[in-house]
Amino acid sequence: QVQLVESGGGLVQPGGSLGLSCAASGNIHTITVMGWFRQAPGKERELVAMINSDGVTNYADSVKGRFTISSDYAKNTVYLQMNSLEPEDTAVYYCRSKVLTREYDYIFYWGQGTQVTVSS
């Protein structure tokens, strides 16, 4: 089993910044991709950003230029720096990882989610 533990959510004013982190632990041989998704009330879960072990990144158009994803694959940790936050960024943010287990199985895991609220 693999656990993803997120931290860093909270309440921030529009235009403010917030950083999230997600650390994976457990039955891990390697992690090939880590990313962030979010789900706002009444909406489907959507990709925010992802980064693979080669450092290649992908961002949702709505966050390009405002959010930055980074990772430390040696520590199985992914980060999301969110700047110029808007009320529309309010959502529960979920970490997701593609893990190669010690049994050489590829399995996707989700974190428990962390609330980000952008409001004045």
Side-chain angles (χ1 to χ4, degrees), residues 79-90:
Y79 308 93
L80 185 68
Q81 179 62 38
M82 304 181 290
N83 298 327
S84 302
L85 282 160
E86 304 167 352
E88 293 73 24
D89 296 315
T90 295

Side-chain angles (χ1 to χ4, degrees), residues 52-109:
N52 69 13
S53 55
D54 293 325
V56 177
T57 59
N58 184 35
Y59 292 92
D61 288 342
S62 59
V63 307
K64 283 180 180 177
R66 300 188 299 121
F67 291 11
T68 301
I69 189 169
S70 60
S71 62
D72 184 344
Y73 273 86
K75 296 181 179 179
N76 294 328
T77 301
V78 64
Y79 308 93
L80 185 68
Q81 179 62 38
M82 304 181 290
N83 298 327
S84 302
L85 282 160
E86 304 167 352
E88 293 73 24
D89 296 315
T90 295
V92 178
Y93 283 69
Y94 296 91
C95 176
R96 182 163 171 83
S97 293
K98 183 179 181 182
V99 175
L100 177 64
T101 69
R102 297 188 183 98
E103 293 75 31
Y104 295 97
D105 293 321
Y106 280 105
I107 303 176
F108 286 92
Y109 289 94

Side-chain angles (χ1 to χ4, degrees), residues 18-39:
L18 206 59
L20 306 179
S21 64
C22 172
S25 62
N27 183 15
I28 300 171
H29 179 274
T30 54
I31 297 179
T32 57
V33 182
M34 299 189 80
W36 293 93
F37 287 69
R38 67 186 180 186
Q39 188 166 18

